[in-house]
Amino acid sequence: MTAGTPTLGAEYFERMYSASPDPWGFSSRWYEQRKYAISAALLPSRRYQNAFEAGCSIGVFTAELAPRCDRLLACDLSPVAVAAAAERTACHPHVRVERRTMPGDWPRQAGGFDLIVLSEVLYYFGGTDLDRMLELTISALRPGGTLLAVHWRHPVAEYPCGGEEVHDALGGRAGLTRLVDHREPDFIAEVYLRGSIAASVAETEGLL
């Protein structure tokens, strides 16, 4: 990432959604369906009380997360994406989909979130905006809370930075302990817990 590289703005996403209602094929490609299934399986807890998904796009993964959350807030910059995500999750009254511009519109949640999902979103942020996103994420997680980060590994010319870069930046942050590091040629999926100790799923189930 080049210093001072600007965050991608609303005009970029307006162009993408004006060309197609699903410009990245989230609802149609097997690659995306498989990635979402892997991402959901990596989450260490069966259920979460308060979850937040930043950059939800048309809500395909939001709909997969919904049955595992008591309350789920999802947001996106694009009003077209927000409308599609809201329609997709309309059968889940505990899900809210809102238009928000990150990092400035980061939500406030009393007591914090016990799950934050950053899937295919961090590489849209440049310079200080990426730093701010990571700061807000960590501070908004409850002690022991889960952070899921998933990103495409291949370079995209118009993105301020790449998936490898954002995961390197995330891994260098204090206050998080990595529980899962899943890497394939195409994407990285990592799970972090807020705090200095990350108990395994077997430990939390009393198997050890």
Side-chain angles (χ1 to χ4, degrees):
M1 179 177 65
T2 304
T5 304
T7 296
L8 285 180
E11 64 281 354
Y12 171 81
F13 298 97
E14 288 171 1
R15 288 197 305 271
M16 296 298 290
Y17 286 107
S18 64
S20 169
D22 186 5
W24 291 277
F26 291 145
S27 63
S28 60
R29 290 180 176 148
W30 166 241
Y31 167 81
E32 297 294 345
Q33 295 168 19
R34 177 179 175 273
K35 182 192 68 178
Y36 289 145
I38 291 170
S39 299
L42 295 179
L43 294 174
S45 296
R46 186 190 303 269
R47 193 163 187 85
Y48 293 89
Q49 291 181 335
N50 285 295
F52 172 55
E53 181 190 11
C56 67
S57 186
I58 60 174
V60 177
F61 193 48
T62 316
E64 292 196 26
L65 287 172
R68 294 178 62 179
C69 302
D70 294 337
R71 289 173 294 278
L72 172 58
L73 170 63
C75 76
D76 201 273
L77 173 64
S78 164
V80 175
V82 167
E87 181 177 0
R88 190 180 300 275
T89 59
C91 59
H92 300 289
H94 63 290
V95 176
R96 295 186 356 252
V97 184
E98 299 177 353
R99 184 176 184 273
R100 291 174 178 261
T101 302
M102 298 284 111
D105 293 336
W106 185 274
R108 295 183 179 181
Q109 169 64 41
F113 297 99
D114 56 346
L115 172 63
I116 295 177
V117 175
L118 303 174
S119 181
E120 310 290 3
V121 66
L122 286 177
Y123 40 43
Y124 295 131
F125 295 95
T128 58
D129 282 343
L130 176 59
D131 289 335
R132 184 63 178 150
M133 281 293 292
L134 297 180
E135 291 172 0
L136 289 165
T137 297
I138 295 170
S139 63
L141 270 178
R142 294 176 181 174
T146 299
L147 166 62
L148 171 65
V150 186
H151 292 87
W152 178 250
R153 298 185 76 175
H154 304 290
V156 181
E158 60 265 35
Y159 293 179
C161 52
E164 297 281 355
E165 291 177 272
V166 298
H167 281 261
D168 286 346
L170 182 58
R173 291 282 165 156
L176 296 174
T177 301
R178 188 166 58 198
L179 180 66
V180 178
D181 183 358
H182 177 89
R183 293 174 188 257
E184 299 190 7
D186 299 321
F187 72 92
I188 307 172
E190 293 185 305
V191 173
Y192 288 86
L193 300 184
R194 173 75 187 274
S196 59
I197 299 175
S200 73
V201 176
E203 286 177 290
T204 60
E205 292 264 295
L207 301 177
L208 297 177

